Amino acid sequence: MRAFLSLLKITFRNYYGISVMKQKYVKEKRELWQPILAVIGLGFGGFTILSLYYLISRGLYTGGKMLGEPALGLEYALLASAFLIFFFGVSSVITTLYFTEDAPFLVSLPLKPFQVIAAKFSLVMANQYLVLAFLLIPPLVIFGRGEGLGFIYILTAVVIFLLFPVIPLAPAAAIVIPLMSRAGSKRLKDLFTILTYVFMIAFGLGLQFLVQYLPKGKEIASLQEILKNHGALLTQLGRGFPPAVWATKALAYAGTGEGLLSLGLFLVLTVVLLALMLLLGERFFYQGLLKGEEVGRLRRAKRKVGVAWGARSPFKALILREHRLFVRTPVYLMNVLPVAVIVPVIAVLPLITQGNQLPVDRIAPFLATHPYVKLVIAAITTFIAGTLPLAASALSREGRLFFISRLIPVPPGDQVKAKFWYILGVNYLCTMPFFVLAVVIARLGPGDILALFILNLAGTAAVTALGILIDLLHPFFDWDNPQRAVKNNLNVLFAMLATLLFLGVFTVAGVGLALVVPWWSGFLILLLLIGGAAVGLYQGQLVLAEKSYRSLEM
Amino acid sequence: MIELSNLSKSYAQGKVRAVDNISLTVRPGEIFGFLGPNGAGKTTTIKMIVGLLRPDAGEVRVAGIDMLKDPIAAKRRIGFVPDQPQVYDRLTGSEYLNFLADVYQVPDDVRRERIEHYLEIFELRDAVGDLVQSYSHGMKQKLVLTGALLHNPPVWIMDEPMVGLDPRSAFLLKDLMAEHCRQGYTVFFSTHILEVAERLCDRIAIINKGRIIACGTLEEIKEHREKETLENIFLELTENEGIPVSLEDHLS
Ligand SMILES: Nc1ncnc2c1ncn2[C@@H]1O[C@H](COP(=O)(O)OP(=O)(O)OP(=O)(O)O)[C@@H](O)[C@H]1O
Ligand SMILES: [Mg+2]
């Protein structure tokens, strides 16, 4: 147990860079403005969104109460949390288990594989608590106070809160561990990562299928009846994820037999999944880890001898470097591609599930009379681009090898230019799935499509330059595995907040224009404004590059 | 070829004076050895010469160009080998070399010839198509060396370049260094191997606690000292004030 606790401590310390932070902020008192700004930024952004969310939660609670189902809002929140953990946590489980660089070190320690898994899984769990706190605490408090529930409710709530990430995440670990033990090469490792996603989705669908044939209790049925009428997506997921229903009932009927029964179901499933994961881990984990270490050697034998030596311009060489380092680092891919796919899915699922009253057919006529609403499409695509972590880690991702960029005789401005154009390309491509889907559903004409296409480009360019600008101001080089370069990088968060601010400003501008000028002239003005912002930010990053590259020391 | 004047650098907001008012000149055709105990300031000095660190005070000129005023032009004339062979793990050896040749704008035919030449002598030809991830320490070091020499820079600056090289490669490197200087170019390198410094270097500087405590040819340094070997001189000069007896006296 002592060994495990030590392992747990070092895992957390290493991941969050606690020792480095202590040295920097407490001992040397260097760059104290950094954590202060982070706290202020997070506090401010968090407070705004949290107050909004609190209001929505209250609305849901009151609405549910009027329908005679006060726990409705709580179930929404639990479902949404499970859904978010599922999609964003699964990649985290896979990378933390298989794509960090401490594997050879851990294997050399006298520890059992299941202990290493437990430590790493705890880390992934801990990473979910921030989002979970944000999503769950407001509805939990509202419900508890509204219904006047006491101690047992609080206890149940704490237990459910702490254990909640297990059910969506442990199956991913249980799937990926045996799979990876068969991976003999790097390529297979990447392939199995994707396979894990496929299995997880199959697992979700299978659960959903199963639950339809389960005898339903009266309460579950009535809850689902209501869900069915009030949100097609959540109905789907509610059926596909019964643990959320159990958790809801455990909370709503805390202290009664029914509540205990639901809590029991929830706990049993949690424990079973954890045990399954640890058992499989004990049996298979190190096999996959150690095989992964042998990567390049297997490929060597098959290499052909001749190598092409061809000259490119420095600019092309820089773009190629960006590209290769991006596509060959699975962690980076996994932080980018799911966003491009998930957002369209979230947006479209409610429209295509059966039994909904969402008026797909009425969208086109509505847009004809309210043309400015089309801008929502560009706003969402810009938001997608702004949440992708590539721009805000443009420099940070170079890590300790940044010295190479400082050594080569290419002006910093040119280097940043290469980064910008490459990242713009990736970001723009990532906005495309949603963009295409949106224009198809809204049945836009070619003129509108072209207009939004260009506006989207301007917006994406602006937030890309904004992200790079933020990273140039204060890059984070101190990481030892690439996961941290994007996940522990405050710049990514700052860029997200800055994107929200950017969108806020232009939403106000758009609404203002809608009130005074007709659509096409309003659109042109907006395009000019956003295009101007993009050009300004682009120039800004080039100017800043010259300064940053020179002053950044390592 | 390299001129350092009144160079200073401190870390941790002035608390650690890593380099303290150093002045040095390395002439064309010279192999210059830079010696000193661990933590003396060798790497710090070298990083300032190649433009990775900004000096707190002082000037660096490489091949007559001020590093602070025209860094791009100065960097073109430098081939730098850092103290640890850090390379992009996810590129293959040939991708890495091609990248460097591209950014240093080495023409097509020249690069082909030079790369093939170095791959041949460092015996990297078979590995160059593999991901750097799979290289051994010494292989990485040789790859870095090849990359640093690709653009045929007049000034070589190397931080402990022999570390991790097998005897054959170390021998070849020393040969390359001598050949480079015969062409009237310059090599500046740090090392802990005193025999190498003794046999290879035209001049030597010894740095301790950020200050140059001896500088000149081996003969100049040995002059007016009763100690015979460079090792003894090094031990005497870098002896800590806190320890009254030198290791040698203690042993005898
Ligand atoms: N990044 C840094 N931050 C703080 N102090 C540093 C840093 N790099 C070096 N130092 C300090 O500067 C001094 C000189 O270090 P330097 O690396 O130049 O020594 P060195 O002569 O290269 O030693 P070695 O022979 O071990 O390579 C040391 O006291 C070291 O602790
Ligand atoms: Mg050193």
Side-chain angles (χ1 to χ4, degrees), chain A residues 554, chain B residues 11-12 16 18 36-45 83 159-160 192:
Chain A
M554 34 196 332
Chain B
Y11 291 112
V16 182
N38 295 134
K42 299 182 296 297
T43 300
T44 307
T45 308
D83 53 351
D159 200 351
E160 301 184 33
H192 288 302

Side-chain angles (χ1 to χ4, degrees), chain A residues 68-365:
Chain A
E69 285 290 350
L72 188 63
L74 204 53
E75 175 158 23
Y76 274 132
L78 284 164
L79 278 172
S81 309
F83 184 72
L84 279 177
I85 291 175
F86 180 82
F87 269 109
F88 293 101
V90 169
S91 73
S92 183
V93 169
I94 299 172
T95 49
T96 313
L97 286 181
Y98 283 99
F99 293 98
T100 58
E101 266 135 47
D102 53 2
F105 168 67
L106 289 177
V107 174
S108 75
L109 296 176
L111 290 166
K112 295 236 167 205
F114 84 88
Q115 290 176 310
V116 176
I117 300 244
K120 288 190 169 246
F121 193 74
S122 311
L123 182 68
V124 181
M125 294 259 292
N127 285 337
Q128 312 302 321
Y129 287 140
L130 188 70
V131 179
L132 209 55
F134 190 89
L135 279 174
L136 283 188
I137 290 179
L140 279 172
V141 170
I142 292 168
F143 183 77
R145 287 181 56 187
E147 301 293 298
L149 295 171
F151 179 69
I152 297 179
Y153 172 79
I154 295 172
L155 202 68
T156 316
V158 169
V159 169
I160 286 181
F161 179 85
L162 289 179
L163 293 179
F164 199 73
V166 172
I167 297 178
L169 293 183
I175 291 169
V176 78
I177 289 169
L179 262 182
M180 285 294 183
S181 73
R182 303 264 153 257
S185 76
K186 198 174 161 54
R187 233 175 259 166
L188 271 183
K189 232 171 154 183
D190 295 344
L191 179 72
F192 285 168
T193 302
I194 297 164
L195 257 184
T196 306
Y197 272 102
V198 173
F199 278 133
M200 280 299 278
I201 290 166
F203 172 80
L205 290 178
L207 249 182
Q208 179 177 344
F209 189 72
L210 208 90
V211 168
Q212 288 188 339
Y213 291 94
L214 279 181
K216 289 182 188 137
K218 202 169 134 259
E219 263 71 26
I220 294 185
S222 75
L223 255 182
Q224 288 195 336
E225 207 50 47
I226 286 161
L227 279 172
K228 200 174 222 159
N229 299 330
H230 291 272
L233 171 65
L234 289 171
T235 316
Q236 287 298 101
L237 291 167
R239 266 202 249 123
F241 197 69
V245 181
W246 300 337
T248 312
K249 286 182 72 188
L251 287 163
Y253 306 111
T256 69
E258 173 126 39
L260 269 181
L261 186 72
S262 300
L263 186 64
L265 277 172
F266 179 83
L267 289 180
V268 166
L269 187 65
T270 300
V271 169
V272 165
L273 287 175
L274 271 181
L276 182 71
M277 174 184 82
L278 292 178
L279 265 173
L280 287 171
E282 181 66 25
R283 174 95 180 68
F284 294 114
F285 183 48
Y286 277 7
Q287 288 177 23
L289 261 192
L290 295 177
K291 274 191 188 151
E293 282 300 298
E294 292 169 17
V295 180
R297 219 137 290 154
L298 285 164
R299 280 172 66 183
R300 177 177 303 170
K302 293 182 214 141
R303 277 277 161 189
K304 52 185 186 305
V305 192
V307 178
W309 306 107
R312 290 177 204 91
S313 72
F315 186 73
K316 275 191 201 149
L318 288 165
I319 296 242
L320 200 63
R321 175 183 66 169
E322 284 296 313
H323 174 69
R324 284 179 172 148
L325 295 181
F326 171 55
V327 297
R328 291 181 192 174
T329 313
V331 174
Y332 298 156
L333 283 177
M334 270 189 259
N335 275 289
V336 168
L337 297 186
V339 179
V341 179
I342 290 165
V343 176
V345 170
I346 294 179
V348 167
L349 258 185
L351 298 178
I352 54 173
T353 41
Q354 90 291 22
N356 70 74
Q357 293 106 22
L358 261 171
V360 186
D361 296 337
R362 298 221 301 269
I363 293 178

Side-chain angles (χ1 to χ4, degrees), chain A residues 27-31 101 186 295-297 299-301 303 305 307-314 316-318 320-321 324-325 328-330 398 400-412 482 550-554, chain B residues 9 12-13 47 50-54 68 71-72 75-76 80 82 86-92 94-100 102-108 111-112 115-116 119 125-131 133-135 139:
Chain A
K27 285 214 191 106
E28 294 176 11
K29 309 232 181 310
R30 247 193 310 148
E31 297 176 338
E101 266 135 47
K186 198 174 161 54
V295 180
R297 219 137 290 154
R299 280 172 66 183
R300 177 177 303 170
R303 277 277 161 189
V305 192
V307 178
W309 306 107
R312 290 177 204 91
S313 72
K316 275 191 201 149
L318 288 165
L320 200 63
R321 175 183 66 169
R324 284 179 172 148
L325 295 181
R328 291 181 192 174
T329 313
E398 293 199 24
R400 291 179 193 145
L401 291 173
F402 180 63
F403 84 90
I404 295 179
S405 295
R406 294 194 56 211
L407 214 58
I408 56 179
V410 180
R550 251 164 238 188
S551 60
L552 290 168
E553 299 190 336
M554 34 196 332
Chain B
K9 176 80 192 175
Q13 286 153 346
K47 281 185 174 171
V50 300
L52 287 180
L53 277 180
R54 211 182 168 76
L68 291 172
I72 302 291
K75 284 171 185 172
R76 266 189 216 295
F80 171 55
Q86 292 175 311
V87 197
Y88 301 107
D89 267 355
R90 293 166 208 275
L91 297 188
T92 66
S94 59
E95 285 167 352
Y96 171 73
L97 293 177
N98 250 329
F99 169 71
L100 287 178
D102 286 337
V103 294
Y104 281 95
Q105 294 172 313
V106 184
D108 223 351
R111 96 168 51 175
R112 193 164 316 218
I115 293 179
E116 296 288 347
L119 290 184
R125 195 190 287 277
D126 290 338
V128 78
D130 294 337
L131 290 179
Q133 243 166 4
S134 69
Y135 284 25
M139 286 160 77

Side-chain angles (χ1 to χ4, degrees), chain B:
Chain B
M1 290 292 250
I2 306 172
E3 293 159 71
L4 313 181
S5 38
N6 307 101
L7 211 54
S8 291
K9 176 80 192 175
S10 42
Y11 291 112
Q13 286 153 346
K15 275 182 219 133
V16 182
R17 298 214 77 168
V19 170
D20 195 357
N21 202 15
I22 284 190
S23 298
L24 263 188
T25 306
V26 184
R27 308 183 194 108
E30 214 170 48
I31 301 188
F32 195 97
F34 200 38
L35 312 180
N38 295 134
K42 299 182 296 297
T43 300
T44 307
T45 308
I46 287 177
K47 281 185 174 171
M48 285 192 282
I49 302 178
V50 300
L52 287 180
L53 277 180
R54 211 182 168 76
D56 295 342
E59 229 182 60
V60 177
R61 299 178 81 83
V62 177
I65 299 163
D66 190 322
M67 177 53 89
L68 291 172
K69 297 225 176 75
D70 191 357
I72 302 291
K75 284 171 185 172
R76 266 189 216 295
R77 288 161 177 80
I78 295 177
F80 171 55
V81 177
D83 53 351
Q84 272 164 33
Q86 292 175 311
V87 197
Y88 301 107
D89 267 355
R90 293 166 208 275
L91 297 188
T92 66
S94 59
E95 285 167 352
Y96 171 73
L97 293 177
N98 250 329
F99 169 71
L100 287 178
D102 286 337
V103 294
Y104 281 95
Q105 294 172 313
V106 184
D108 223 351
D109 40 343
V110 182
R111 96 168 51 175
R112 193 164 316 218
E113 191 184 310
R114 280 197 201 128
I115 293 179
E116 296 288 347
H117 173 67
Y118 287 120
L119 290 184
E120 190 66 51
I121 61 173
F122 286 134
E123 298 181 314
L124 274 183
R125 195 190 287 277
D126 290 338
V128 78
D130 294 337
L131 290 179
V132 172
Q133 243 166 4
S134 69
Y135 284 25
S136 72
H137 182 92
M139 286 160 77
K140 279 188 203 168
Q141 180 76 359
K142 292 193 263 186
L143 185 71
V144 169
L145 271 166
T146 307
L149 307 184
L150 271 186
H151 56 292
N152 199 21
V155 180
W156 293 3
I157 295 171
M158 304 178 166
D159 200 351
E160 301 184 33
M162 317 284 178
V163 172
L165 291 185
D166 57 37
R168 209 185 89 89
S169 307
F171 173 79
L172 282 167
L173 176 60
K174 284 182 270 183
D175 222 39
L176 285 172
M177 286 159 105
E179 172 59 31
H180 189 64
C181 290
R182 270 196 293 280
Q183 297 171 14
Y185 296 148
T186 298
V187 176
F188 180 98
F189 75 106
S190 75
T191 184
H192 288 302
I193 314 170
L194 296 178
E195 297 89 75
V196 170
E198 229 167 346
R199 271 193 289 116
L200 201 63
C201 296
D202 299 306
R203 288 200 303 144
I204 289 168
I206 301 178
I207 181 174
N208 191 24
K209 296 180 190 151
R211 289 170 185 271
I212 305 256
I213 49 174
C215 181
T217 61
L218 199 57
E219 283 66 42
E220 285 166 356
I221 291 179
K222 277 182 182 168
E223 221 174 324
H224 314 303
R225 281 179 225 272
E226 66 269 37
K227 305 273 178 181
E228 295 292 289
T229 62
L230 182 59
E231 187 175 25
N232 289 341
I233 294 170
F234 182 92
L235 290 174
E236 184 188 290
L237 284 172
T238 59
E239 191 180 307
N240 270 328
E241 296 92 354
I243 305 165
V245 208
S246 82
L247 187 65
E248 210 183 350
D249 296 339
H250 185 80
L251 288 174
S252 58

